[in-house]
Amino acid sequence: MKKLRHLILSFVFAVFTIFWLSSYTYYNTFGIDSELRKNEQIENHYYRFWWPGNGSLLIGKSIILHPYNSNKTYTKFDLGAAFLRPPSDKIKAHSVYNKIGFWYIDLDKPIQQFWIGIPAWLPTFMIIGCFLFCRRRYKKSLSV
């Protein structure tokens, strides 16, 4: 169990560190997409981890409406991702908090979306903290 936990933490650490280091120059995103039919419209739901290229990590969702097209196949569950693309110009910093990486976006129009943002380096250091906490706990259990 301990080895599995360390393996998972190591993988997550590597992923978040790579995205943190590239977060100042590249756009990266991954998550889940789903398409739901509502009458004559399709609701595209996007749930994402999103590094827009400004040093932030945003976690959230957006919902985009499209007209229904009977010739197209829609999926209820799909993994979505984009890596190492040019930075997004979709969000602009409006405050000191935004410039240092903290975001709160809750919009209904033109696209319904909700995002919470933190500096991209923060998850990496939180994972390091988890490693240190687990190591300390393991050493304590050996000395008892």
Side-chain angles (χ1 to χ4, degrees):
M1 184 65 169
K2 185 183 94 169
K3 286 186 180 189
L4 179 62
R5 181 177 34 224
H6 279 139
L7 183 65
I8 291 169
L9 272 176
S10 297
F11 175 75
V12 171
F13 174 78
V15 168
F16 277 91
T17 300
I18 289 167
F19 288 140
W20 160 42
L21 295 174
S22 67
S23 72
Y24 298 95
T25 53
Y26 291 104
Y27 171 102
N28 296 294
T29 183
F30 66 87
I32 298 170
D33 303 344
S34 71
E35 299 167 320
L36 304 170
R37 183 175 177 185
K38 299 253 177 146
N39 300 321
E40 291 304 309
Q41 288 190 317
I42 297 296
E43 279 188 2
N44 287 351
H45 292 250
Y46 301 95
Y47 303 92
R48 290 277 195 258
F49 287 92
W50 175 30
W51 292 263
N54 64 2
S56 299
L57 163 61
L58 284 83
I59 303 168
K61 71 171 190 169
S62 66
I63 301 172
I64 301 172
L65 298 174
H66 297 285
Y68 174 71
N69 180 348
S70 60
N71 296 326
K72 187 176 176 192
T73 304
Y74 296 100
T75 57
K76 290 189 179 192
F77 179 84
D78 187 21
L79 296 175
F83 302 112
L84 302 175
R85 301 256 173 99
S88 171
D89 61 352
K90 293 180 180 175
I91 61 172
K92 303 281 187 222
H94 297 290
S95 71
V96 172
Y97 294 112
N98 295 153
K99 289 178 183 174
I100 60 174
F102 292 99
W103 293 84
Y104 178 80
I105 301 169
D106 188 7
L107 300 172
D108 283 329
K109 293 188 181 186
I111 297 171
Q112 185 181 352
Q113 50 187 318
F114 178 79
W115 300 98
I116 299 283
I118 58 174
W121 54 265
L122 192 56
T124 299
F125 285 93
M126 289 171 63
I127 295 167
I128 290 170
C130 285
F131 271 121
L132 295 174
F133 177 77
C134 290
R135 192 170 137 199
R136 176 184 278 168
R137 209 171 91 196
Y138 176 72
K139 283 186 177 182
K140 264 189 180 177
S141 70
L142 289 178
S143 65
V144 172

Coordinates of all heavy atoms in Angstrom, one line a residue, residues 34-45 63-69 72 74:
S34 N -18.2 16.2 -21.8 CA -19.5 15.4 -22.1 C -20.4 16.3 -22.9 O -20.4 17.5 -22.8 CB -20.1 15.0 -20.8 OG -20.7 16.1 -20.1
E35 N -21.2 15.6 -23.7 CA -22.2 16.3 -24.6 C -23.5 15.8 -24.3 O -23.8 14.5 -24.4 CB -21.8 16.1 -26.1 CG -20.4 16.6 -26.4 CD -20.0 16.2 -27.8 OE1 -20.2 15.0 -28.1 OE2 -19.4 17.0 -28.5
L36 N -24.4 16.7 -23.9 CA -25.8 16.3 -23.5 C -26.8 17.0 -24.4 O -26.7 18.2 -24.6 CB -26.1 16.6 -22.1 CG -25.1 16.1 -21.0 CD1 -25.4 16.7 -19.7 CD2 -25.3 14.6 -20.9
R37 N -27.8 16.2 -24.9 CA -28.8 16.8 -25.8 C -29.9 17.4 -24.9 O -30.5 16.7 -24.1 CB -29.3 15.8 -26.8 CG -30.3 16.4 -27.7 CD -30.8 15.4 -28.8 NE -31.8 16.1 -29.6 CZ -32.5 15.4 -30.5 NH1 -32.2 14.2 -30.8 NH2 -33.4 16.1 -31.2
K38 N -30.2 18.6 -25.2 CA -31.4 19.3 -24.5 C -32.2 19.9 -25.6 O -31.9 21.0 -26.1 CB -30.9 20.4 -23.5 CG -30.0 19.9 -22.4 CD -30.7 19.9 -21.1 CE -29.9 19.3 -20.1 NZ -30.0 19.9 -18.8
N39 N -33.3 19.2 -25.9 CA -34.2 19.7 -27.0 C -33.4 19.8 -28.3 O -32.9 18.8 -28.8 CB -34.9 20.9 -26.7 CG -35.8 20.8 -25.4 OD1 -36.4 19.7 -25.3 ND2 -35.8 21.8 -24.6
E40 N -33.3 20.9 -28.9 CA -32.6 21.1 -30.2 C -31.2 21.7 -30.0 O -30.7 22.3 -30.9 CB -33.4 22.0 -31.1 CG -34.7 21.3 -31.6 CD -34.4 19.9 -32.3 OE1 -33.6 19.9 -33.2 OE2 -35.0 18.9 -31.9
Q41 N -30.7 21.6 -28.7 CA -29.4 22.1 -28.5 C -28.5 21.0 -27.8 O -29.0 20.1 -27.2 CB -29.4 23.3 -27.5 CG -29.9 24.5 -28.2 CD -29.7 25.7 -27.3 OE1 -29.9 25.6 -26.1 NE2 -29.3 26.8 -27.8
I42 N -27.2 21.1 -28.0 CA -26.2 20.3 -27.3 C -25.5 21.1 -26.3 O -25.0 22.2 -26.6 CB -25.2 19.7 -28.4 CG1 -26.0 18.8 -29.4 CG2 -24.1 18.9 -27.7 CD1 -26.6 17.6 -28.8
E43 N -25.4 20.6 -25.1 CA -24.7 21.2 -24.0 C -23.3 20.5 -23.9 O -23.3 19.3 -23.6 CB -25.3 21.1 -22.7 CG -26.4 22.1 -22.4 CD -26.9 22.1 -21.0 OE1 -26.4 21.3 -20.2 OE2 -27.9 22.8 -20.7
N44 N -22.2 21.2 -24.3 CA -20.9 20.7 -24.1 C -20.4 21.1 -22.7 O -20.3 22.2 -22.4 CB -19.9 21.2 -25.1 CG -20.2 20.6 -26.5 OD1 -20.9 19.7 -26.6 ND2 -19.5 21.2 -27.5
H45 N -20.2 20.1 -21.9 CA -19.6 20.3 -20.5 C -18.2 20.0 -20.5 O -17.8 18.9 -20.9 CB -20.3 19.4 -19.5 CG -21.8 19.8 -19.3 ND1 -22.2 20.4 -18.1 CD2 -22.9 19.7 -20.1 CE1 -23.5 20.6 -18.2 NE2 -23.9 20.2 -19.4
I63 N -19.7 25.4 -19.8 CA -20.8 24.8 -20.5 C -21.0 25.7 -21.8 O -21.3 26.9 -21.6 CB -22.0 24.7 -19.7 CG1 -21.8 23.8 -18.4 CG2 -23.2 24.1 -20.5 CD1 -22.9 23.8 -17.5
I64 N -20.9 25.1 -22.9 CA -21.1 25.8 -24.2 C -22.3 25.1 -24.9 O -22.4 23.9 -25.0 CB -19.8 25.7 -25.1 CG1 -18.7 26.3 -24.3 CG2 -20.1 26.4 -26.4 CD1 -17.3 26.2 -25.0
L65 N -23.2 26.0 -25.4 CA -24.4 25.5 -26.1 C -24.1 25.5 -27.6 O -23.6 26.5 -28.1 CB -25.6 26.3 -25.8 CG -26.0 26.3 -24.3 CD1 -27.2 27.3 -24.1 CD2 -26.5 24.9 -23.9
H66 N -24.6 24.5 -28.3 CA -24.5 24.4 -29.8 C -25.8 23.9 -30.3 O -26.5 23.1 -29.7 CB -23.4 23.4 -30.2 CG -22.0 23.8 -29.8 ND1 -21.3 24.8 -30.4 CD2 -21.2 23.3 -28.8 CE1 -20.1 24.9 -29.8 NE2 -20.0 24.0 -28.8
P67 N -26.1 24.3 -31.5 CA -27.3 23.7 -32.2 C -27.1 22.2 -32.4 O -26.0 21.7 -32.7 CB -27.5 24.4 -33.5 CG -26.5 25.5 -33.5 CD -25.5 25.3 -32.4
Y68 N -28.2 21.4 -32.2 CA -28.1 20.0 -32.5 C -27.9 19.7 -34.0 O -28.6 20.3 -34.8 CB -29.4 19.3 -32.0 CG -29.4 17.8 -32.3 CD1 -28.6 16.9 -31.6 CD2 -30.3 17.3 -33.2 CE1 -28.7 15.6 -31.9 CE2 -30.4 16.0 -33.5 CZ -29.5 15.1 -32.9 OH -29.6 13.8 -33.2
N69 N -27.0 18.8 -34.3 CA -26.8 18.4 -35.6 C -27.0 16.8 -35.7 O -26.2 16.1 -35.1 CB -25.3 18.7 -36.0 CG -25.0 18.3 -37.5 OD1 -25.7 17.6 -38.1 ND2 -23.9 18.8 -38.0
K72 N -24.1 14.4 -36.7 CA -22.9 14.3 -35.8 C -23.2 13.3 -34.7 O -24.3 13.2 -34.2 CB -22.6 15.7 -35.3 CG -21.3 15.7 -34.5 CD -20.9 17.1 -34.0 CE -19.7 17.0 -33.2 NZ -19.4 18.2 -32.5
Y74 N -22.6 12.3 -30.8 CA -22.2 13.0 -29.6 C -21.9 11.9 -28.5 O -22.4 10.8 -28.5 CB -23.4 13.8 -29.1 CG -23.7 15.0 -30.1 CD1 -24.8 14.8 -31.0 CD2 -23.0 16.1 -30.1 CE1 -25.1 15.9 -31.8 CE2 -23.2 17.1 -31.0 CZ -24.3 17.0 -31.9 OH -24.6 18.0 -32.7

